[in-house]
């Protein structure tokens, strides 16, 4: 059938993080603008790490903050970075990047420096080719950029090297020149926006995770949340966009479930529960759902009990 489907997958699980779910040879066109597969690949890696998971372990998996994009791309950038004339401060942070475990922690400098650097690299690769007046250029997907960096890194005469050369200059730039200039550009940008002290460049100051009021009313949103995770970690957190409603169900003789809705059930920003739920969500916390087997158990565990009786005719 043309409809995507799977029955008893041999892997024993299904996964999706908005990445392409079908091969290029599928009989029907299913669109093209899928997310990069970084989060999906990390989910697969975690699911294949063992045979069985408890509900609590799935909750932990949802909070995984390893940036799978950085894990692939950062080594390619470091490979071509020229350290000549770098200050001791820059060399120190380059060493931090080399030792980074790719986890996007709110208090870490490394994810900020990586993101600023990589964005500058993409701009250097494509702005001279794709910049359209008054329109935002549509850059290739990051997985394609990673392949481009691999291709040119192993063969400077590869056809992809055309993207490395800046068409607006008479000289022909190399990948090392582009990557190094992008690092300097990123450093200047971070100093301008966050100050000269790299300790101020922590991820929460760059990513700025925040809930705005639906109507964008000033004062009704949240403060900047010290939250881990990036857009390419399982715990998707782009600051302005990410996974909000979270739900885990553990099937078995006794059903268990965990849930988190930032803002609480009412979503009322004036409610103490609103703040409490938002902070729990930002910390990765989830609340176990109260499921009762029968009315007797419900009575035993209830905080209060209300009985409704039909009104008798007067």
């Amino acid at each position: 059938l043309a409809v995507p489907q799977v029955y008893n997958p041999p892997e024993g699980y299904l996964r999706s993080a908005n990445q392409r779910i079908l091969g290029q040879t599928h009989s029907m066109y299913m669109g093209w603008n899928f997310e990069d597969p970084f989060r999906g690949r990390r989910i697969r890696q975690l699911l294949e790490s063992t045979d069985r998971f408890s509900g609590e372990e799935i909750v932990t998996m949802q909070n995984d903050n390893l940036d799978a994009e950085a894990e692939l791309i950062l080594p390619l950038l470091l490979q071509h970075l020229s350290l000549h004339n770098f200050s001791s401060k820059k060399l120190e942070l380059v060493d931090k990047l080399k030792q980074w475990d790719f986890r996007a922690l709110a208090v870490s400098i490394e994810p900020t420096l990586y993101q600023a650097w990589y964005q500058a690299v993409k701009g250097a690769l494509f702005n001279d080719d794709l910049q359209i007046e008054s329109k935002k250029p549509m850059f290739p997907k990051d997985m394609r950029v990673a392949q481009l960096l691999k291709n040119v890194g192993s063969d400077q005469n590869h056809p992809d090297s055309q993207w490395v050369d800046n068409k607006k200059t008479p000289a022909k730039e190399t990948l090392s020149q582009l990557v190094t200039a992008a690092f300097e550009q990123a450093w200047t940008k971070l100093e301008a926006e966050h100050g000269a002290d790299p300790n101020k460049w922590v991820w929460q100051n760059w990513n700025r995770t925040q809930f705005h009021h639906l109507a964008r009313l000033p004062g009704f949103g949240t403060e900047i949340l010290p939250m881990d995770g990036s857009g390419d970690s399982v715990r998707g957190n782009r600051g302005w966009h990410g996974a909000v409603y979270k739900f885990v169900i553990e099937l078995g003789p006794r059903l268990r479930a965990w849930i988190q809705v930032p803002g609480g059930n009412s979503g009322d920003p004036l409610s103490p529960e609103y703040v409490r739920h938002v902070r729990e969500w930002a910390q990765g916390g989830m609340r176990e759902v109260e499921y009762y087997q029968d009315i007797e158990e419900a009575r035993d565990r209830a905080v209060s009990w209300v009985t409704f009786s039909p009104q008798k005719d007067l």
Side-chain angles (χ1 to χ4, degrees), residues 218-231:
F220 283 85
T222 69
E223 72 279 6
I224 301 299
L225 300 168
M227 183 174 168
D228 299 337
S230 72

Side-chain angles (χ1 to χ4, degrees), residues 20-193:
R20 180 184 292 276
I21 59 174
L22 297 168
Q24 299 279 13
T25 59
H26 189 70
S27 58
M28 289 188 65
Y29 174 69
M30 300 297 294
W32 63 272
N33 193 22
F34 297 97
E35 285 295 312
D36 276 305
F38 299 116
R39 294 178 69 236
R41 290 171 61 179
R42 177 60 176 166
I43 291 170
R44 181 178 64 188
Q45 182 183 33
L46 292 170
L47 288 174
E48 293 180 352
S49 63
T50 186
D51 294 332
R52 300 177 67 86
F53 295 92
S54 66
E56 288 96 340
E57 289 169 328
I58 296 295
V59 170
T60 299
M61 186 185 302
Q62 286 192 355
N63 289 317
D64 185 80
N65 51 47
L66 186 139
D67 189 316
E69 177 204 273
E71 186 179 35
L72 175 64
I73 292 177
L74 180 58
L76 300 174
L77 301 182
L78 289 170
Q79 180 182 351
H80 298 284
L81 180 64
S82 174
L83 302 179
H84 297 304
N85 301 320
F86 267 32
S87 66
S88 58
K89 185 186 293 186
K90 290 178 181 177
L91 291 173
E92 180 182 349
L93 283 198
V94 170
D95 284 339
K96 280 182 174 289
L97 285 177
K98 290 178 178 179
Q99 299 170 30
W100 184 33
D101 61 1
F102 307 110
R103 297 193 177 276
L105 304 181
V107 296
S108 296
I109 302 169
E110 295 90 339
T112 302
L113 184 55
Y114 161 72
Q115 278 294 336
W117 185 15
Y118 180 49
Q119 288 181 18
V121 167
K122 287 196 291 185
L125 283 170
F126 304 117
N127 273 336
D128 59 313
D129 300 277
L130 303 180
Q131 190 70 48
I132 303 174
E133 199 65 33
S134 76
K135 291 185 179 181
K136 182 179 179 180
M138 183 175 289
F139 290 170
K141 290 292 187 180
D142 293 315
M143 184 61 75
R144 176 66 183 95
V145 178
Q147 188 60 51
L148 183 156
L149 294 171
K150 284 184 179 181
N151 292 340
V152 180
S154 59
D155 178 8
Q156 63 180 353
N157 295 316
H158 191 279
D160 277 348
S161 63
Q162 64 177 307
W163 299 102
V164 174
D165 180 41
N166 186 347
K167 306 300 189 298
K168 298 181 180 180
T169 66
K172 184 175 182 179
E173 289 77 13
T174 66
L175 182 58
S176 178
Q177 289 173 327
L178 181 147
V179 165
T180 304
F183 185 93
E184 297 281 10
Q185 180 184 343
W187 190 278
T188 301
K189 177 182 176 68
L190 289 170
E191 284 189 325
E193 294 183 357

